[in-house]
Amino acid sequence: MANKLISEMGLPKSIANIFAARNINTAKDALSLTEFELMELLDVGMADVTSAVAHISAVVSPPYQTALFLMEQRLQNEQFAGHLPTRLKGLDDALCGGIPFGVLTELVGPAGIGKTQFCLKISLLASLPASYGGLEGHVVYIDVESKFSSRRIIEIGSTSFPEIFHRKGMAQEMAGRILVLRPTSLSEFTESLQQIKVLLLQQQVKLLVIDSMAALISGEYDQGAPRQHSLGWHISFLKSLAEFSRIPVVVTNQVRSQRRDEVCQYSFQAQKNAETQEGTDKYDSHVVAALGIHWAHSVTIRLVLEAKSGQRYIKVAKSPMSPPIAFPFIITSSGIALLEDDGIELRGQEINTIHCQGLDEIINFDGERMK
Amino acid sequence: MKKTPVFYRDLKNSDSEALESLNVPSRISRFDNGEGSQTIIHGAQNAWDMLQEESSLTRITTSCADLDNILGGGITCKEVTEIGGVPGIGKTQMGIQLAVNVQIPSYCGGLGGKAIYIDTEGSFMVERALQVAEACIEDMSEYSRFLHKDLQAFQVGMQSKDILENIYYFRVCSYTEQIALINYLDKFITEHRDVKVVIIDSITFHFRQDFDDLALRTRVLSGMALKLMKVAKTFSLAVVLLNQVTTKHTEGSFQLGLALGDSWSHSCTNRIILYWNGNERYAYIDKSPSLRSASAPYSVTSRGIRNSASNFKRAKMM
């Protein structure tokens, strides 16, 4: 809509010509200027400019829908009312049915905690036939860190859904639906995104997974400001991809250790907390998400995977519908499994912190058990 | 408020003196005639009229009594209020809550209006709006039972469906669309007079990604702010802007601050910052011409925004 031509908007001929003569061709050109700037540039009266701008605005404004209409449409047209069930009952309940279509869902946690396992599992779920509760579609898996394992995906499949995977040819069909892309740089990634857009328009892809987003950036820039902005385009592109094709998009994010000077507060808080600053020892086992606050604003759901006192937890850290809740989980041969479905409701900021205490022990322990 | 009569008398005296000395015909400007008053300069309004109007101004409750208290009753109509905070603190929750609460009918102490929800990020969740709406209806029927005291099942006569139907949802996908829609609001609201709140979630998103020319961004933003203020005044509705936060590197340390820069911070009348204080969510009035800067705890529950759990008992007794 932003690039709609002014000449096609049905403005009075005389005014439309003036716009064209000053090389203001699209709505974007016209609306990026203030009315006074337009007056100056076009050399016409205030009244004309105001009415022209009002006309252009009315044409370009998106139409409204009532929230009721949105909901009814979703219930009618989409599987599971617009959610991809993760088959982790507690988590599905908290998220009103699973990973929602049309928005970004982020997994963040230390290396080895199980982010990729989670991604593999949901890729499989999306490719399952509808009769088994899947989305029966293709999955695009952008594997930046080269961690995708086809053997593991078959293993997860045959232990969690033996009835499907033991049928002849099914394993091949399921695995055949998962397309893996391995971009090695940000520019290659950008290119793949453009290609995916075409694929999505044909409506066969039901899930997009990016593992991981942070790896793309960390290779290219030093820490600091540029990395935020280099992702700006990708963030809005991914969001609009998710939204227009109404598919779930799952993105993983790495962690990094928090720098000491990074105690982020508002200026009005600084004084109050000055006394409590001393003797804090809370940085020892803390890490923070590698992509900063700008990125965090743009994901709709953030799931934190962490290790605390020798136990893995998955936490719903940001979600428009779920209370702050944590589930202990383990990794088995069939993928991620919750130890309990009730979850532990957390209070306060605890939900946002990412612990990695005793992660090595868990990994070794699990490793032995899986043999 | 106790002092009002004194002020009133004083003003009235000086007024009559002034009138005499200026020989202004008495049909112009009597302070106490409320709506019918005319003014010397067209379009101007004197401070007393404004006071009268302000005290009769309606507010939209936030459903959190502590927060309503520091806000003087809720989010004020005719003003632009900006609400900012870190990801996950509850900005969108606040937006959805207000879109529902504006519809509380007048017999339950609400505005009985409709809401416009402008979503620039795609973070509006219908499922959540439904939850909040259902909880709100439950609360209203409880309230009216309490008010009417008759055991007859008093029906609120509203369903969550109606509430969802009265939220006009606009999805904006670029900053051009955002500017266009804000220009168009004037016309839209003229056609839908009962709209009482406009929520923009968030004002920042597109302006943060796609703008290279910062000077232009500032101009466009301030133009937008003026238009929003005008809409708020003309239609006496509340405009609520949700804003993201950003980190600023000042004096050797990182500080959090609302996005869009310093000149933007002049654009709205009230500014509320949501933040974590220890283990609780707090709202802080960062800027307001009429309210004391204060902070109050709140919590986000499955039913929506409510009083913070630790203060819950006290609030219930009131």
Side-chain angles (χ1 to χ4, degrees):
Chain A
M1 283 305 248
N3 295 321
K4 203 168 161 103
L5 293 174
I6 290 179
S7 54
E8 291 167 6
M9 287 183 185
L11 274 175
K13 203 77 192 154
S14 55
I15 279 279
N17 285 340
I18 298 178
F19 272 99
R22 294 295 184 280
N23 212 12
I24 300 178
N25 296 319
T26 63
K28 189 175 176 175
D29 296 339
L31 294 177
S32 305
L33 297 168
T34 61
E35 285 170 16
F36 282 108
E37 284 169 321
L38 274 178
M39 258 172 82
E40 206 181 317
L41 200 64
L42 302 176
D43 199 16
V44 290
M46 187 66 183
D48 290 333
V49 169
T50 319
S51 75
V53 167
H55 185 87
I56 295 171
S57 299
V59 173
V60 176
S61 292
Y64 79 88
Q65 292 161 318
T66 66
L68 181 68
F69 177 79
L70 276 181
M71 190 174 70
E72 282 171 348
Q73 213 185 22
R74 243 160 245 188
L75 288 177
Q76 249 171 38
N77 302 343
E78 286 173 5
Q79 291 145 301
F80 311 111
H83 291 91
L84 168 59
T86 61
R87 305 283 179 103
L88 304 172
K89 192 176 170 302
L91 190 62
D92 282 347
D93 288 347
L95 296 178
C96 291
I99 296 182
F101 294 2
V103 295
L104 301 191
T105 300
E106 180 195 27
L107 299 170
V108 53
I113 190 74
K115 300 188 294 293
T116 303
Q117 298 298 321
F118 192 97
C119 292
L120 293 177
K121 181 79 180 270
I122 53 166
S123 306
L124 199 66
L125 288 170
S127 65
L128 282 186
S131 53
Y132 287 95
L135 299 181
E136 203 160 2
H138 288 272
V139 175
V140 174
Y141 196 109
I142 302 184
D143 181 26
V144 183
E145 298 178 353
S146 290
K147 281 183 184 155
F148 183 87
S149 152
S150 44
R151 182 177 301 179
R152 177 72 178 128
I153 217 164
I154 300 289
E155 186 194 15
I156 296 176
S158 49
T159 31
S160 9
F161 310 102
E163 66 280 15
I164 307 175
F165 274 75
H166 289 164
R167 257 194 278 155
K168 202 167 173 280
M170 278 308 262
Q172 192 188 351
E173 200 187 328
M174 293 297 102
R177 287 182 179 163
I178 302 172
L179 312 169
V180 182
L181 285 167
R182 291 208 160 126
T184 52
S185 67
L186 192 60
S187 52
E188 261 185 67
F189 172 69
T190 312
E191 219 168 282
S192 350
L193 277 186
Q194 312 266 25
Q195 290 171 357
I196 293 166
K197 194 179 176 184
V198 181
L199 248 171
L200 288 177
L201 287 175
Q202 297 161 356
Q203 303 219 318
Q204 290 164 349
V205 178
K206 295 287 187 192
L207 172 69
L208 173 62
V209 178
I210 301 170
D211 184 20
S212 74
M213 197 74 178
L216 281 168
I217 313 300
S218 44
E220 307 231 340
Y221 289 96
D222 292 337
Q223 289 185 335
R227 82 145 86 209
Q228 296 273 327
H229 291 287
S230 65
L231 267 188
W233 180 85
H234 299 87
I235 292 174
S236 40
F237 190 80
L238 279 176
K239 279 181 87 106
S240 61
L241 263 191
E243 183 147 343
F244 287 107
S245 49
R246 295 288 310 157
I247 59 163
V249 174
V250 177
V251 181
T252 66
N253 188 356
Q254 301 169 338
V255 295
R256 62 173 171 82
S257 52
Q258 192 171 30
R259 274 166 291 170
R260 275 205 159 263
D261 58 346
E262 242 184 316
V263 197
C264 277
Q265 288 177 327
Y266 297 102
S267 46
F268 66 84
Q269 276 178 287
Q271 283 180 322
K272 270 190 261 172
N273 294 5
E275 311 99 57
T276 55
Q277 270 310 307
E278 285 155 45
T280 42
D281 52 353
K282 52 183 199 187
Y283 306 112
D284 55 355
S285 62
H286 271 200
V287 287
V288 293
L291 299 174
I293 206 162
H294 183 171
W295 165 258
H297 271 300
S298 38
V299 298
T300 305
I301 292 179
R302 169 175 267 188
L303 301 174
V304 170
L305 285 78
E306 63 163 13
K308 204 174 154 189
S309 354
Q311 175 61 56
R312 292 176 209 248
Y313 287 93
I314 184 166
K315 301 193 290 195
V316 186
K318 180 189 178 190
S319 151
M321 47 269 184
S322 165
I325 201 167
F327 303 95
F329 74 94
I330 50 168
I331 294 181
T332 67
S333 56
S334 64
I336 283 184
L338 298 187
L339 288 178
E340 48 186 290
D341 285 325
D342 290 335
I344 307 150
E345 194 152 342
L346 295 177
R347 288 207 52 207
Q349 255 176 314
E350 181 62 15
I351 196 74
N352 289 314
T353 53
I354 308 168
H355 296 276
C356 48
Q357 291 172 338
L359 180 60
D360 299 338
E361 294 148 45
I362 313 175
I363 293 173
N364 292 337
F365 177 68
D366 280 356
E368 270 162 40
R369 195 171 47 188
M370 292 210 349
K371 280 174 201 164
Chain B
M1 286 316 267
K2 261 185 194 166
K3 283 187 179 166
T4 318
V6 182
F7 276 129
Y8 181 73
R9 202 182 54 223
D10 289 349
L11 274 170
K12 215 173 171 186
N13 283 344
S14 60
D15 165 45
S16 50
E17 283 164 25
L19 279 181
E20 276 169 19
S21 58
L22 284 170
N23 266 334
V24 178
S26 62
R27 66 176 174 82
I28 298 179
S29 179
R30 290 297 308 177
F31 286 109
D32 45 352
N33 8 326
E35 291 188 337
S37 68
Q38 285 176 307
T39 40
I40 304 170
I41 308 167
H42 175 72
Q45 206 183 9
N46 60 45
W48 181 255
D49 281 351
M50 284 165 78
L51 177 67
Q52 297 291 327
E53 202 178 88
E54 258 164 52
S55 53
S56 68
L57 260 194
T58 39
R59 291 166 197 272
I60 306 165
T61 166
T62 59
S63 286
C64 166
D66 291 336
L67 185 51
D68 280 353
N69 273 343
I70 62 166
L71 289 173
I75 304 288
T76 327
C77 288
K78 283 202 165 188
E79 282 179 8
V80 178
T81 306
E82 182 183 24
I83 301 177
V86 294
I89 190 78
K91 298 184 295 295
T92 300
Q93 299 294 322
M94 198 63 96
I96 293 177
Q97 186 74 55
L98 290 171
V100 169
N101 283 358
V102 74
Q103 302 183 39
I104 297 175
S106 50
Y107 55 80
C108 289
L111 288 181
K114 294 183 178 176
I116 291 180
Y117 199 100
I118 302 175
D119 189 1
T120 65
E121 303 193 14
S123 52
F124 181 79
M125 289 271 156
V126 224
E127 297 96 333
R128 181 61 182 155
L130 183 68
Q131 282 176 356
V132 174
E134 275 167 358
C136 178
I137 286 174
E138 270 173 41
D139 286 357
M140 280 195 295
S141 29
E142 189 124 306
Y143 174 78
S144 58
R145 251 202 307 279
F146 172 76
L147 210 66
H148 293 266
K149 283 268 162 70
D150 44 8
L151 288 169
Q152 263 180 4
F154 180 81
Q155 285 295 317
V156 172
M158 248 178 132
Q159 286 184 325
S160 49
K161 258 188 167 180
D162 304 328
I163 292 192
L164 290 189
E165 185 145 33
N166 288 337
I167 301 176
Y168 300 119
Y169 173 83
F170 289 89
R171 176 72 175 98
V172 169
C173 302
S174 68
Y175 73 85
T176 315
E177 281 185 28
Q178 191 171 333
I179 300 167
L181 178 55
I182 285 164
N183 288 338
Y184 172 67
L185 273 183
D186 203 56
K187 201 171 157 212
F188 184 83
I189 300 173
T190 316
E191 288 159 15
H192 299 81
R193 279 277 175 178
D194 36 10
V195 169
K196 281 292 163 226
V197 68
V198 175
I199 297 149
I200 306 184
D201 179 12
S202 68
I203 191 88
T204 339
F205 184 69
H206 295 301
F207 287 91
R208 246 181 136 173
Q209 329 279 5
D210 316 326
F211 257 89
D212 299 324
D213 182 352
L214 285 183
L216 178 64
R217 185 178 91 165
T218 309
R219 281 202 303 276
V220 170
L221 276 171
S222 59
M224 214 161 71
L226 282 178
K227 276 170 196 150
L228 287 170
M229 246 175 234
K230 200 179 140 213
V231 166
K233 289 262 183 298
T234 357
F235 300 101
S236 24
L237 50 79
V239 174
V240 178
L241 311 176
L242 305 182
N243 194 358
Q244 304 181 340
V245 300
T246 182
T247 47
K248 268 187 276 187
H249 193 87
T250 42
E251 292 160 24
S253 68
F254 284 93
Q255 270 192 345
L256 287 176
L258 298 197
L260 296 182
D262 292 329
S263 50
W264 168 255
S265 44
H266 296 286
S267 314
C268 30
T269 323
N270 306 301
R271 175 174 254 191
I272 301 168
I273 294 179
L274 308 179
Y275 66 103
W276 287 106
N277 185 3
N279 274 337
E280 277 189 285
R281 294 169 206 256
Y282 269 72
Y284 172 79
I285 302 180
D286 188 42
K287 174 189 155 184
S288 161
S290 56
L291 300 168
R292 222 153 42 88
S293 87
S295 56
Y298 70 97
S299 69
V300 179
T301 69
S302 57
R303 297 161 60 82
I305 305 276
R306 291 293 182 269
N307 259 343
S308 157
S310 54
N311 292 5
F312 193 63
K313 275 181 196 143
R314 197 189 69 203
K316 246 193 164 169
M317 272 157 53
M318 274 167 23

